[in-house]
Amino acid sequence: MTIALPIGASSNQLLLNSWDAIPWKKADKVIKRLQMRIAKATREQKMEKVNALQRLLTSSFYGKCLAVKRVVQSKGGKTPGVDGVTWQTSKQRMQAVGALKWRGYTSQPLKRIYIPKKDGRKRPLSIPTLYDRAQQALWKLALEPVAEERADLNAYGFRPMRSTADAIQQCHIALSQKTSATWILEGDIEACFDRIDHNWLMENIPMDKTILGKFLKAGFMESQQVFPTTMGTPQGGVISPTLALMALSGLERYIRTQFKSRSSSKVNIVTYYDDFIITADTKEILQQKIFPMVVDFLRERGLTLSPSKTRITNIKEGFDFLGHTIKRYDCGKVLITPSKDNTETLIKNLRETVKSMRSVTAERLIYTLNPKIRGWCNYFRHIASSRTFTKVDYHVYQMLARWACRRHPNKSKAWSLRKYFKSQGNRNWVFSDTVTHKEKMKTISLFAAHKVSIRRRIKVKGAAHPFDHEFKDYFELRKKSLNILWSGEKNSP
């Protein structure tokens, strides 16, 4: 099989028939350079140059390699589409790289499945074939720099080098002062992925219109029948988050045109994909001015607000945003804590896990629970979570005490607890087990939530994005500082 040489590479630099021989660091570097050129052309409003650079990127060998790599290494990399094809071997992946061509490309229907939601309803999930996912990943590489240039300063969802922690820190900045806004419009866009208007996307997304149309009009297969897609982007599509980000970009700038002075109205906007909050000094500003502007902005894109999740709240009552509760207490201080629903969901999940593992060893139970507890704690370690972490530890202790007693019904409760709960240093009642590791005895322990140190998140600069050369050093320093900041638990060096 003959594959085109990569841009900037000679034949003696790469064994083109070997997936493992691809120089991934160089591939990242080459594509990042192209993406920076696309971002610069977008800033300069040179859209013809943007189109030319996008064609160059989507035709490049390294771009195709990175697209295939993203698909096969994702969580759904082993989940096939309607064709049942997966790419497991090096040969299959190299064949996929050679087959990625946007000229003459035709998309296949999406495989439709349904996943349950918290309220009992089911959310449709449309899964493209791996080939279609790779095509989308390739064009995402070319479109993402444009999306970053057009994104609002305080938009944090589906953007590289940004997270929910940055969005929550911006909420704290906007609401924590004594003179800050006291009223909040909590907004939630109803079925955002499923209802974005295709005409708006075709007119406003700067990429090859033929390719974009095939992504949007692929249709979906359900019960052996193919149904057309007339609106929305597939929730299982690689490029869908970027399209949704671009559709929602501009809301902050649109509202700023009417409220240029922040000090008088105290209007601030924080968005994370289809969830957002808008602050103001009075309830009337939100009701009479801002709410109609948001409705008009979304209507143009075929979207509407969810009536059940959109409300206007006073900061003293508190509100939930991205799993956090933000509230101003009587002392005048604004505290951000893990929401009650989120905490209860974790405890319920842990309880079900422990109940389902009644007969396993303590070692396996520890290895199962630790990632769940550690991941949840790391998500909330940048806010006032100490009390909640202690509460989680208490509930976990109760679960494991019952587990130990059920495991040994013929022994006393004291005997069962002594078998599994040990003292370690200045800590008592530590759930642990002794295992053999590399022919040596090793003690493993349950992760303790209360040992996670609380450290304030350093919010990313609003104008910064990784495709602007001006912020290259900024992101390198930021990455190093965050690695140091989040390393270890309490008392870590």
Side-chain angles (χ1 to χ4, degrees), residues 55 59 81 87 137 202 206 210 212 236 253-254 288 315 354 359 363 373 388 422 442 464 469 479 492:
R55 288 194 295 271
S59 300
W87 301 332
M202 293 297 294
T210 302
L212 177 59
R253 292 189 294 273
Y254 179 53
Q288 300 173 14
I315 185 64
V354 172
S359 60
E363 174 190 2
I373 301 172
T388 308
K422 310 293 183 181
K442 175 184 176 183
H469 191 271
K479 186 175 180 180
S492 295

Side-chain angles (χ1 to χ4, degrees), residues 259-486:
F259 300 93
K260 295 181 179 180
S261 175
R262 298 189 186 187
S263 58
S264 59
S265 58
K266 302 175 184 175
V267 173
N268 293 279
I269 303 99
V270 182
T271 63
Y272 193 91
Y273 172 48
D274 59 348
D275 290 329
F276 63 88
I277 66 162
I278 304 177
T279 70
D281 200 30
T282 66
K283 188 175 183 178
E284 289 70 25
I285 291 177
L286 293 174
Q287 284 180 328
Q288 300 173 14
K289 295 183 178 180
I290 293 179
F291 184 79
M293 293 179 68
V294 173
V295 171
D296 291 342
F297 178 88
L298 295 177
R299 184 188 299 116
E300 184 182 350
R301 291 152 177 77
L303 301 171
T304 58
L305 290 170
S306 171
S308 61
K309 297 180 181 179
T310 301
R311 60 182 69 88
I312 296 176
T313 311
N314 191 283
I315 185 64
K316 292 182 178 180
E317 300 174 15
F319 65 95
D320 290 351
F321 184 57
L322 303 177
H324 301 70
T325 295
I326 305 173
K327 182 179 179 180
R328 175 172 290 160
Y329 291 83
D330 293 338
C331 62
K333 190 172 184 178
V334 172
L335 289 181
I336 305 177
T337 58
S339 69
K340 183 178 178 180
D341 289 345
N342 202 297
T343 305
E344 290 179 350
T345 299
L346 170 72
I347 294 173
K348 181 181 178 182
N349 180 274
L350 295 177
R351 184 177 293 114
E352 291 174 350
T353 300
V354 172
K355 284 184 177 180
S356 67
M357 302 182 73
R358 293 179 179 179
S359 60
V360 303
T361 62
E363 174 190 2
R364 185 177 174 188
L365 186 59
I366 290 171
Y367 282 134
T368 302
L369 294 179
N370 276 358
K372 295 176 182 288
I373 301 172
R374 183 183 288 110
W376 188 87
C377 291
N378 285 339
Y379 183 79
F380 290 108
R381 69 186 303 174
H382 57 279
I383 59 173
S385 304
S386 294
R387 289 186 178 182
T388 308
F389 289 168
T390 302
K391 176 183 176 181
V392 169
D393 281 338
Y394 170 76
H395 282 282
V396 172
Y397 167 78
Q398 295 290 338
M399 300 172 201
L400 295 177
R402 288 191 292 269
W403 177 88
C405 293
R406 284 196 302 264
R407 188 169 173 80
H408 303 281
N410 297 325
K411 299 289 186 178
S412 67
K413 180 178 180 181
W415 185 94
S416 299
L417 295 182
R418 283 197 303 269
K419 178 175 175 61
Y420 296 103
F421 292 88
K422 310 293 183 181
S423 294
Q424 293 182 2
N426 60 353
R427 291 180 60 205
N428 298 320
W429 300 101
V430 180
F431 189 80
S432 57
D433 192 17
T434 303
V435 299
T436 303
H437 180 68
K438 294 183 179 180
E439 299 182 353
K440 294 182 179 180
M441 300 302 292
K442 175 184 176 183
T443 300
I444 59 171
S445 306
L446 187 75
F447 183 82
H450 74 274
K451 289 196 68 179
V452 176
S453 57
I454 306 301
R455 298 179 181 179
R456 182 69 65 186
R457 173 78 173 195
I458 304 171
K459 191 187 79 70
V460 67
K461 290 182 179 180
H465 67 77
F467 306 116
D468 189 340
H469 191 271
E470 178 184 348
F471 296 103
K472 181 180 179 181
D473 293 337
Y474 167 76
F475 279 112
E476 289 179 356
L477 291 173
R478 177 176 170 81
K479 186 175 180 180
K480 291 179 181 178
S481 64
L482 289 178
N483 288 339
I484 296 173
L485 185 65
W486 302 128

Side-chain angles (χ1 to χ4, degrees), residues 19 68-69 71-97 108 111 127-134:
W19 176 261
V68 173
K69 180 183 179 182
V71 170
V72 297
Q73 291 188 351
S74 65
K75 290 183 179 180
K78 296 181 181 179
T79 304
V82 294
D83 59 357
V85 174
T86 58
W87 301 332
Q88 301 294 323
T89 66
S90 173
K91 181 179 179 181
Q92 290 173 330
R93 294 171 183 179
M94 290 306 299
Q95 288 175 340
V97 170
Q108 292 184 271
K111 183 169 70 173
I127 304 175
T129 64
L130 260 65
Y131 180 75
D132 290 332
R133 271 179 263 174

Side-chain angles (χ1 to χ4, degrees), residues 3-72:
I3 302 176
L5 284 171
I7 295 174
S10 59
S11 58
N12 62 352
Q13 288 179 301
L14 185 64
L15 298 174
L16 295 180
N17 60 347
S18 174
W19 176 261
D20 297 327
I22 296 173
W24 293 111
K25 289 185 178 180
K26 183 173 182 179
D28 287 328
K29 187 176 180 180
V30 170
I31 297 304
K32 187 68 172 291
R33 190 182 302 121
L34 278 173
Q35 289 177 314
M36 286 187 169
R37 291 176 63 189
I38 293 172
K40 182 180 179 182
T42 304
R43 281 195 302 276
E44 297 172 351
Q45 297 296 314
K46 298 178 179 179
M47 299 315 296
E48 291 186 0
K49 186 175 182 180
V50 169
N51 293 334
L53 290 170
Q54 285 181 331
R55 288 194 295 271
L56 182 62
L57 190 154
T58 53
S59 300
S60 70
F61 176 81
Y62 284 148
K64 295 174 182 179
C65 289
L66 290 174
V68 173
K69 180 183 179 182
R70 174 167 186 162
V71 170
V72 297

